[in-house]
Amino acid sequence: KSNRPKLNILSFKVKLKNNHAICEIPQCTNHKINLLLGTVSELNLIKLNTLRDDVQVSDKKLYNMQGINDILVSTLGSTVLTVSIYNEIYETEFQLVNSTFPIIGDGILGNPFLKANRIIIDVGNKELSIRNENSNVITARSELIIPVHINTNEPSGQNVLIHAQELNKNILCRNILNTLKNQQVLIV
């Protein structure tokens, strides 16, 4: 097992508008749809009129819901849709609701989606983001010392030059001259 620290790379960060995120779903007639983030919703919901006619719907899982209003609302069936947020793809089960379902937007990304994908909602900055598992946070414009494994035949104690490069998306390394130790160099 490696002792190297894992970096926290945010896979995406999306601005929210009125607690809604714009998502791309190819199975919808308008590929970009507006979904409410529903942290208390136990279902992912999508309005029937947003889906293309060729989307297959199963009637094996039907739910009766109450909470958004006083009227009992029944789902029409379920389907799995491909949700794309900032180039990240998620196969997600949605319950279909009537087109007159009383919410602004095309549906709700509920707790099942938010929990399963470890979505972070920053209400103050009106942002939605996701973080890779088993990682530590690197704040913007910070310096961090990271051991990097080097494939070389040089013995420990030799100076090694690491050229400036992008280590990961939005993680940059400048030119580094440091001493090789156990096939690793510390970079800042």
Side-chain angles (χ1 to χ4, degrees), residues 40-41 64-73 101-103 108:
V40 296
S41 175
N64 291 318
M65 304 177 296
Q66 192 169 4
I68 286 184
N69 60 26
D70 293 335
I71 301 169
L72 189 65
V73 176
F101 190 71
I103 60 166
I108 297 175

Side-chain angles (χ1 to χ4, degrees), residues 9 20 22 32 51 58 69-70 86 115 131 153 166:
I9 310 299
H20 286 75
I22 303 295
K32 290 190 178 186
L51 297 178
S58 169
N69 60 26
D70 293 335
Y86 200 74
K115 279 184 179 179
R131 182 164 52 217
N153 293 328
E166 187 172 30

Side-chain angles (χ1 to χ4, degrees), residues 17-25 28-37 44-51 68 81 94-109:
K17 186 173 183 179
N18 297 324
N19 297 322
H20 286 75
I22 303 295
C23 304
E24 290 185 35
I25 300 180
C28 291
T29 53
N30 182 11
H31 293 286
K32 290 190 178 186
I33 64 169
N34 195 17
L35 295 175
L36 175 68
L37 299 179
N44 299 309
L45 303 174
I46 193 157
K47 291 181 179 179
L48 182 62
N49 66 332
T50 64
L51 297 178
I68 286 184
L81 302 176
F94 280 85
Q95 295 298 315
L96 276 69
V97 291
N98 197 309
S99 304
T100 59
F101 190 71
I103 60 166
I104 297 171
D106 301 309
I108 297 175
L109 274 179

